[in-house]
Structures are given as structure tokens and as C-alpha cells.
Amino acid sequence: SLTDLNLNSCTSLTTLNGLNTLYSLISIDLLDCLLTEGQVDQILADLVSNGLSAGYANLQVASGVQPTGTGLSSKAILEGNGWTVLVN
């Protein structure tokens, strides 16, 4: 199973779907990708639904977007489960 996903500086990446099916994903690095606000929110929600603890997620994307309501709630849940979550 995939546990680490590093797409750091993949500036052509604008969409990333299906993370909710990667049940062993404990580390994701999307620094400087061009994801939208909705994508950042969805990635955080997918990580929550996977139910893992003590992970790492770097979502400091080049587009500069920040998580919104749902994404902020997901970020808080992840951090409560021991995750390090970096966002813009």
C-alpha cells in the first residue's frame, strides 16, 4: 500500500482525486502544486476519512489558496489526531 506521496513542486498538478481510497497514506507533500481551494479542502477531508493518526500533510500550494470552512474543520481533526498539517 502507498504510505507516502511526494509531489513537491509539481507545478503542473491542478487536480488530485481518490485519496480517500489510499487507506495507508500517512504522508503527503504537495508543496508548490497549483491546487484550488476546493482541492485542498477535499484532500484534507479524504485524509480524515482514512482515519489514520500521526501523519504529515504539506498543502502549502503555489496558488496560495487556504482551506475554507470544511477544510479548516478537517485540518483541526487531523491535528487532534497527531498530524502535522501545513497550509498557506
Side-chain angles (χ1 to χ4, degrees), residues 1 6 11 39 47 50 63 70 72-73 86 88:
S1 299
N6 185 341
T11 56
Q39 283 284 294
L47 293 173
N50 288 347
S63 53
T70 304
L72 290 172
S73 295
L86 306 174
N88 291 333

Side-chain angles (χ1 to χ4, degrees), residues 21-87:
T21 62
L22 299 175
Y23 304 113
S24 299
L25 187 64
I26 198 72
S27 177
I28 184 167
D29 189 345
L30 300 176
L31 176 69
D32 291 334
C33 296
L34 290 175
L35 299 172
T36 66
E37 183 179 275
Q39 283 284 294
V40 170
D41 288 346
Q42 186 60 54
I43 290 165
L44 291 167
D46 288 346
L47 293 173
V48 168
S49 72
N50 288 347
L52 299 175
S53 299
Y56 172 82
N58 186 347
L59 301 176
Q60 293 175 315
V61 296
S63 53
V65 298
Q66 300 177 356
T68 60
T70 304
L72 290 172
S73 295
S74 295
K75 179 181 181 285
I77 291 168
L78 289 168
E79 290 172 334
N81 289 331
W83 281 71
T84 298
V85 182
L86 306 174
V87 295

